[in-house]
Each structure stands twice: as structure tokens, then as C-alpha cells.
Amino acid sequence: MKASELVSRLRAMGDPEIAAHSQRFFKTGAGEYGEGDRFLGIRVPQLRETVKQYPDVALTEVLKLLRSPLHEVRLFALLHLVQQFERGDEPTREAIYRHYLDHTRYINSWDLVDSSAPKIVGAYLQNRSHSVLSRLVGSDSLWERRIAIMACFHFIRRNDFTDTLKLCQRVIDDQHDLIHKASGWMLREIGNRDGATARRFLKRHYRNMPRTMLRYAIEKYPPEERQRYLESRI
């Protein structure tokens, strides 16, 4: 199926009321992180079901969708790339990974990153060099930095925390709230699996961490312990 046909079908699924809410929720106003993004108004479960209905869309057509100005069309493309990656052979996976990194300027919202980076970038790097993450986390692009952090979720799920801790240390001075949230979230996920490792990291760095990063990292700690971190009494 051609990209143009899929766009027409996605447009027909749109709901103006949901689109208006999404415009506000994803901060699309002047100077905000999603400035200028456009929404059709399709809920994510609906998109996921639609992806399943069209499993054989050619990669070239999916990449056309990824370059769309419409948010849900880009999300559809990324969910489709995840599906193709998970089902594909090694050449297919490598091609998807390469194209993904070539198209990061279109992966330009936290939901687009979070639904794809662990399952494509993280998964591809599982038994390979992770040096690309160092480049991405040092990027001027907010979204490339978030891709680096979120790709680590794949490793965390396999109890490998090394890269996550290195990247979280590097972004302590990052200026963007969306990086604070992502890195704090990943530290919380490490804590869910290995509390001692997470606490060692926090003990060294929590006084210098952005407040949002710290709050996300300690969200599931006992109330008294959370308060000690927030009051710098650890």
C-alpha cells in the first residue's frame, strides 16, 4: 500500500476534539517543544491496531510516512518500523536502525521517541558497540538526547545498567525538562531492579541533579526516604 493511501485512511480516523486536546497536551505553541506540530486526533491504541492491519507496507513507503507533518502519521510510521524490526532478519533490522538515525529530525516528540528508541536503537545495539549513544546524548537536538536515554530501557530490562548510569551522569546539567524526566525515569527503572545500584548513583549525584530528575528517580521510594533526598539529608 502507498503512503498516500495510508494517510487518507488515517485522516478519516481523526477526531477534531481529540486533535485539539493533543495540540495543547503536546505543547505545540510558539516557543514550546512541539511548536507547529499538527494532529489528526487518533488515540494510540487505535493506531496500534491499524498498524497490525497493514503488516506488509514497504519500508520506502513507511519512511515517507515518517516525514509527514502530521503527528499520528509519524507515530504510525514508527510503530510500523518497530513491528518490521521485531519480525525482520538481520539485514532488515540494520536497514531500519540506519534509517531511524537518519530521520531523527522527524522523531520529534517524547511519545515518538519513547515508543521506538528502546525497541529499535536499544535492541539493535544489544550485542554491538554502544558508542553511538555517547554521540546522541551530546547532540544539540533535544530528541537525539532523549533517544540516547530511552534506548537504554532495552538494556535496563536485561539488568545491564552501565550505559544508563553513564548517560544519566552526563545529562545532570542538561537544561531541558524532558531530559530530566527521561533520565529520572530510567534511574527509577534501575531502582526497581537493583535498588543498591540506584542508591549508590543517587548518593553521589542527587545534590546536583535537577529536581525533576530526582523526583522521578525516587518516586517509588518510601515517603521518609524520599523526603530525606529532597531535603539533602542522605
Side-chain angles (χ1 to χ4, degrees):
M1 179 173 287
K2 297 292 185 184
S4 57
E5 296 176 73
L6 284 164
V7 172
S8 295
R9 296 190 183 198
L10 292 172
R11 283 184 179 277
M13 294 165 58
D15 181 316
E17 188 173 335
I18 295 173
H21 176 269
S22 296
Q23 295 283 153
R24 297 187 298 271
F25 182 75
F26 284 96
K27 310 292 186 185
T28 61
E32 295 182 306
Y33 68 76
E35 180 177 356
D37 207 354
R38 294 159 52 194
F39 289 80
L40 294 172
I42 308 172
R43 298 197 186 280
V44 174
Q46 228 182 329
L47 271 180
R48 291 187 182 278
E49 284 303 313
T50 307
V51 167
K52 292 176 186 177
Q53 293 170 20
Y54 302 101
D56 300 320
V57 183
L59 180 57
T60 53
E61 298 301 308
V62 177
L63 293 174
K64 291 178 185 177
L65 297 174
L66 184 53
R67 295 189 285 268
S68 171
L70 299 169
H71 188 101
E72 291 94 340
V73 175
R74 299 198 305 283
L75 181 53
F76 177 95
L78 289 164
L79 294 174
H80 208 290
L81 288 175
V82 168
Q83 178 177 270
Q84 289 190 22
F85 184 94
E86 290 175 345
R87 297 176 178 179
D89 56 16
E90 279 306 305
T92 299
R93 291 183 174 208
E94 181 174 2
I96 291 170
Y97 167 78
R98 302 293 178 194
H99 285 302
Y100 187 95
L101 293 185
D102 287 343
H103 286 76
T104 54
R105 63 190 178 279
Y106 302 105
I107 308 169
N108 57 355
S109 187
W110 57 264
D111 63 320
L112 304 181
V113 171
D114 298 359
S115 62
S116 59
K119 296 179 179 180
I120 293 177
V121 178
Y124 182 78
L125 297 177
Q126 175 61 39
N127 296 311
R128 297 176 173 87
S129 168
H130 297 177
S131 60
V132 67
L133 299 181
S134 181
R135 176 180 68 79
L136 291 171
V137 86
S139 171
D140 290 336
S141 164
L142 160 65
W143 306 116
E144 289 192 346
R145 300 199 304 277
R146 184 151 175 137
I147 285 169
I149 296 292
M150 292 306 303
C152 291
F153 206 171
H154 178 86
F155 313 136
I156 292 170
R157 285 170 170 150
R158 287 153 183 79
N159 295 314
D160 177 358
F161 312 131
T162 304
D163 286 285
T164 311
L165 296 173
K166 288 178 181 177
L167 297 187
C168 284
Q169 184 172 347
R170 284 188 61 182
V171 300
I172 282 176
D173 294 326
D174 199 283
Q175 298 302 302
H176 207 288
D177 188 58
L178 287 174
I179 299 301
H180 305 166
K181 290 177 178 178
S183 52
W185 175 13
M186 292 303 100
L187 289 171
R188 184 176 72 228
E189 292 296 335
I190 291 175
N192 289 341
R193 293 161 175 81
D194 186 339
T197 293
R199 284 174 170 84
R200 280 195 299 272
F201 181 90
L202 288 171
K203 188 173 182 180
R204 288 195 300 271
H205 301 292
Y206 81 97
R207 287 186 175 88
N208 299 319
M209 289 167 63
R211 203 67 164 177
T212 298
M213 182 178 178
L214 177 60
R215 286 187 179 278
Y216 269 60
I218 64 176
E219 184 178 33
K220 295 187 179 180
Y221 286 12
E224 290 184 1
E225 185 178 9
R226 287 203 308 272
Q227 199 60 35
R228 289 199 301 273
Y229 275 107
L230 295 172
E231 295 175 355
S232 296
R233 292 190 290 110
I234 296 294

